[in-house]
Amino acid sequence: MHELKYCISNYEEVLIYFKSRTNCADGNAYKLANLDKKLTDSIYKTEPIADRIAMNNAIITNTMNSAITNNSILKGDGGSKFYTEHLGSNHFEGQKSWNLKMMQYYKGIKDTTEYLKLTSIFYDQYYMRLTVNSVRKPAFIKLSNRMNE
């Protein structure tokens, strides 16, 4: 693996990278932009919430699309982990989100065996424990809609 020789060390340069629509969580530009963690943290603390969400969504979408296009389980896992890391400290929700992204990956590469395996586990962990009242809640309806995308 080659060494990164250049560091994006200016707030505006890092912000331009994060706002670009071609960034991936495993790309060299992303690694360069994240070498200065204090700078990255300051962007995520000062930019408007809508911009932060758009930046993360672009990185996640590009990473998952690249994983599916290249049939790369490592990229799929990387995109799923990136998604999970940006949800906060709730481990249960993080694991659920990782599973959703990996199901998206397996569906995208048309790996039915792995998709069904993971879907079976997902349904057992997150749906079979639900009560009738919880199924009627808006959060459940939103999750169900995400599953059908």
Side-chain angles (χ1 to χ4, degrees), residues 45 48 77 93 99 115 131 145:
K45 288 178 183 171
D77 184 56
E93 287 299 318
N99 281 311
Y115 176 78
T131 63
N145 290 337

Side-chain angles (χ1 to χ4, degrees), residues 29-148:
Y30 181 78
K31 292 173 188 171
L32 288 170
N34 277 295
L35 285 176
D36 186 345
K37 292 292 185 192
K38 288 182 183 178
L39 186 58
T40 303
D41 288 345
S42 70
I43 286 174
Y44 277 96
K45 288 178 183 171
T46 58
E47 292 301 309
I49 187 73
D51 289 352
R52 292 180 286 177
I53 291 170
M55 290 185 296
N56 284 343
N57 285 341
I59 293 169
I60 293 162
T61 299
N62 291 337
T63 305
M64 295 307 291
N65 287 342
S66 176
I68 291 166
T69 300
N70 296 304
N71 197 5
S72 171
I73 185 77
L74 292 176
K75 277 185 181 271
D77 184 56
S80 299
K81 285 179 181 172
F82 180 87
Y83 182 62
T84 300
E85 289 168 2
H86 287 83
L87 290 175
S89 61
N90 184 332
H91 179 70
F92 183 79
E93 287 299 318
Q95 187 62 38
K96 185 191 300 184
S97 298
W98 182 89
N99 281 311
L100 282 170
K101 284 297 172 189
M102 289 307 294
M103 288 179 350
Q104 175 190 353
Y105 168 75
Y106 288 125
K107 184 177 181 180
I109 65 166
K110 297 176 177 41
D111 186 338
T112 306
T113 304
E114 291 300 320
Y115 176 78
L116 290 176
K117 239 191 278 186
L118 192 55
T119 303
S120 173
I121 293 167
F122 183 85
Y123 276 90
D124 281 346
Q125 287 179 343
Y126 305 109
Y127 287 136
M128 300 309 276
R129 298 178 183 178
L130 297 175
T131 63
V132 172
N133 289 335
S134 66
V135 172
R136 293 182 180 145
K137 290 182 181 178
F140 178 81
I141 294 168
K142 183 179 177 181
L143 176 63
S144 296
N145 290 337
R146 281 178 39 200
M147 285 288 299
N148 292 323

